[in-house]
Amino acid sequence: MRLRVEFTTEPFDLEEAPAHAVAAREVMRRAQLDAMDVGPFGNTAEGDSAAVLDAVTALLRDALGAGATRVSLQVNVIGEDTP
């Protein structure tokens, strides 16, 4: 199964990316995902379900550890893997 995750971390800072936002993005960059889009108000990543779920676990741990007071995320099934 393929998944897409959309996530944001708070508190926001429009002047400079907070440590928690940087930590969350780095987790996703290190993950074995097929696609990632980073934006100022939200980020998306896609990939195999196992890779996305592992990345979401690490994202929550690292972002909260770096000072996030809220992490919002949505996970959608976008397709099935072909054997």
Side-chain angles (χ1 to χ4, degrees), residues 61-73:
R61 182 184 54 246
D62 289 7
L64 293 169
T69 58
R70 178 179 180 150
V71 178
S72 301
L73 62 92

Side-chain angles (χ1 to χ4, degrees), residues 22-60:
V22 173
R25 290 174 187 162
E26 285 305 309
V27 164
M28 293 311 226
R29 284 194 177 111
R30 288 190 311 264
Q32 299 297 313
L33 302 176
D34 301 330
M36 183 168 170
D37 182 35
V38 174
F41 299 108
N43 309 281
T44 61
E46 297 178 8
D48 172 73
S49 61
V52 170
L53 295 174
D54 287 346
V56 165
T57 300
L59 177 149
L60 291 170

Side-chain angles (χ1 to χ4, degrees), residues 2-20:
R2 292 189 47 76
L3 301 176
R4 176 183 298 122
V5 60
E6 301 173 41
F7 66 95
T8 59
T9 61
E10 296 179 36
F12 293 113
D13 182 343
L14 297 177
E15 299 297 319
E16 182 178 339
H20 56 80

